[in-house]
Amino acid sequence: WGATTVAATMRLAHLANIPTFVTGGTGGVHRGGERTMDISTDLVELSRTPVVVVSAGVKSILDIRKTLEVLETYAVPTGVWRSNEFPAFFSPQSGVRSPARFDCADEVASSYLKGLDLGLQSGTLVAVPNDDPAGQSVEDSIQEALKEADERGIVGNDITPFILKTVADMTRGDSLRSNMSLVKSNAVVGADIASAISKQMNSQCCGFSSSPERPKVVCVGGAVMDIVATSSKDQGMIAGTSNPGQIRTSDGGVARNIAEVLGRLMTPQ
């Protein structure tokens, strides 16, 4: 299986004339980013691609305050769904005040469309607090894991996999369950926002074409076939000889996956 970043998905959504998309969490400024300059390109894309991104805020291993500062510098409208406090991804509490608040989908749609009327090209970030009961305990575990990573000198690209594995072990799967819960919650809010944008576009005629010219996209990259062989559960694996079992194949490759998504969206490739 392949996947795309928030930045790449924003670009693809915009090319397909889709104004809203939902994700778990967006990238941002990493802790210590003032020294390492480790800043996600998601923030850059939000500054130049007019798409509403609905998430549970920035990923919890990041620096929320610095991320909000960068979003402000990039003139990206950022608000929290029905709260004045910016969420800490798993937990609804971070101690950081939100730059703005959205109480209904129509407010988000109106803000987004007025920005387009003014010729602004930035996206909009809507952070939805996670109301899963396990969220706060998961956030506490993340803080412990971050402290351990710092004590062990784990930096750069090694931090994220270390934190994810450590937190999964500490919470005994609660982090995955809470993650699934917040994605579902985000999807409900995102659907309401998408519906509100569509209704306001149709009623206000904000310069959108009902049949926009679709861009031609060329995907350059790889296409692979993943083959997974699994031995029979009734008999253990015997090395050096044939074994009864099953073979499963699946299509993969980032370029192939993107091409399939575009094809399903009926966008020329």
Side-chain angles (χ1 to χ4, degrees), residues 10 19 50 54 83 85 101 111 130 146 185 218 230 233 264:
M10 285 187 69
V54 181
S83 176
E85 184 174 1
R101 172 183 175 130
S111 172
N130 178 25
L146 285 167
S185 178
V218 177
T230 306
K233 294 181 179 179
R264 291 177 182 272

Side-chain angles (χ1 to χ4, degrees), residues 6 24-28 31 42 56-64 88-89:
V6 169
T26 59
R31 297 168 191 260
D42 292 351
V58 299
K59 297 170 184 176
S60 51
I61 62 174
L62 305 177
D63 189 314
I64 294 176
F89 191 68

Side-chain angles (χ1 to χ4, degrees), residues 87-112:
F89 191 68
F90 283 112
S91 171
Q93 285 92 33
S94 68
V96 180
R97 185 173 179 81
S98 172
R101 172 183 175 130
F102 295 116
D103 284 311
C104 65
D106 282 330
E107 287 184 2
V108 180
S110 178
S111 172
Y112 169 72

